[in-house]
Amino acid sequence: MSERTIIRKYYTLEIPEDANTLLPDTLTVIPGKCEIGRIDINPVYQKNQIVNRNESNEITYYIYHLWAVRPDEAIREFMQEYMQNKRLFKHVSTRFTRSIPDYILETRVNDMEIIEIDKSFSAHVNLDLKLILNHSDSILVSHKADRTEPLKLKNINLFASEVSNILFEELEIFVQLIRANEELFYSSER
């Protein structure tokens, strides 16, 4: 009689390898410090277990397929690496530093799940991004995204890769919005 070994598999969120996050040197760096604030995640998704949605109100958690790092920490690290590579702000940090930031990037993740309907699989991410002027607590730029991208097959690694792609693409859109509104950063008295 043979024993079957059950292996837990862990997945990461990473900036896609083929993604070019660097901006040309000709673009202006926004003066000041931007802090990647706390990532607010719907409690349903704030676990190491990956969520599978089978019905409108029914979810299951994978037992043997887990996020390597809790989603809030993984997304914060993802965003920090992205923003540092972008060189959009003079300084980028996480909220665990002592200096007071000029700007705070707030993130709310409403959904981050595999959707399984009739043997078809999709990655679903719903998030809100806001760039806040810290001294006045006013929103300078905001962006909402609710995306569902089909997967070629039921493969959790493919799902994690697609979530990474969605996060990257939505951050690209967010940075374009910031660039389109650069006058807000120079007209506001800090």
Side-chain angles (χ1 to χ4, degrees):
M1 189 160 41
S2 67
E3 288 186 31
R4 187 175 155 188
T5 304
I6 298 174
I7 299 172
R8 288 196 168 146
K9 295 182 180 181
Y10 296 88
Y11 302 89
T12 60
L13 295 174
E14 298 175 356
I15 292 176
E17 286 183 22
D18 59 348
N20 181 10
T21 60
L22 297 178
L23 287 173
D25 291 335
T26 57
L27 291 176
T28 313
V29 173
I30 297 170
K33 179 180 175 186
C34 179
E35 176 184 284
I36 309 300
R38 186 175 147 274
I39 309 298
D40 182 25
I41 297 186
N42 180 331
V44 169
Y45 308 98
Q46 184 53 325
K47 302 175 186 309
N48 281 75
Q49 291 106 335
I50 294 173
V51 175
N52 180 307
R53 181 173 299 277
N54 303 61
E55 300 286 338
S56 62
N57 295 76
E58 177 187 337
I59 63 164
T60 56
Y61 293 100
Y62 287 101
I63 296 172
Y64 301 109
H65 297 283
L66 306 162
W67 292 115
V69 176
R70 281 180 34 148
D72 62 333
E73 295 172 31
I75 292 171
R76 185 175 44 81
E77 290 298 319
F78 184 103
M79 294 177 92
Q80 182 178 9
E81 180 182 349
Y82 174 89
M83 294 301 276
Q84 285 175 334
N85 289 345
K86 241 353 171 178
R87 292 182 263 178
L88 180 64
F89 294 94
K90 187 169 183 175
H91 299 284
V92 175
S93 70
T94 60
R95 58 187 255 254
F96 301 110
T97 61
R98 293 181 183 196
S99 60
I100 297 170
D102 300 290
Y103 310 99
I104 299 174
L105 174 54
E106 290 185 357
T107 305
R108 166 78 182 159
V109 177
N110 303 303
D111 303 293
M112 192 167 79
E113 61 199 1
I114 291 178
I115 296 179
E116 182 177 346
I117 299 173
D118 298 329
K119 296 187 181 187
S120 70
F121 305 94
S122 301
H124 177 224
V125 177
N126 177 345
L127 60 87
D128 300 325
L129 301 167
K130 294 178 187 172
L131 187 65
I132 310 291
L133 181 59
N134 194 26
H135 81 81
S136 66
D137 203 30
S138 58
I139 299 171
L140 295 173
V141 178
S142 66
H143 174 62
K144 294 178 185 269
D146 188 357
R147 294 195 30 203
T148 303
E149 298 294 333
L151 303 175
K152 293 178 181 164
L153 50 111
K154 184 178 184 178
N155 178 300
I156 308 299
N157 190 60
L158 187 60
F159 163 72
S161 177
E162 190 58 42
V163 169
S164 294
N165 287 334
I166 291 169
L167 288 172
F168 177 81
E169 291 168 5
E170 295 308 321
L171 282 170
E172 288 280 282
I173 292 168
F174 188 62
V175 166
Q176 289 172 8
L177 289 169
I178 292 170
R179 286 286 180 204
N181 291 285
E182 275 190 37
E183 72 280 353
L184 295 173
F185 300 93
Y186 300 104
S187 65
S188 58
E189 295 297 321
R190 285 185 283 129

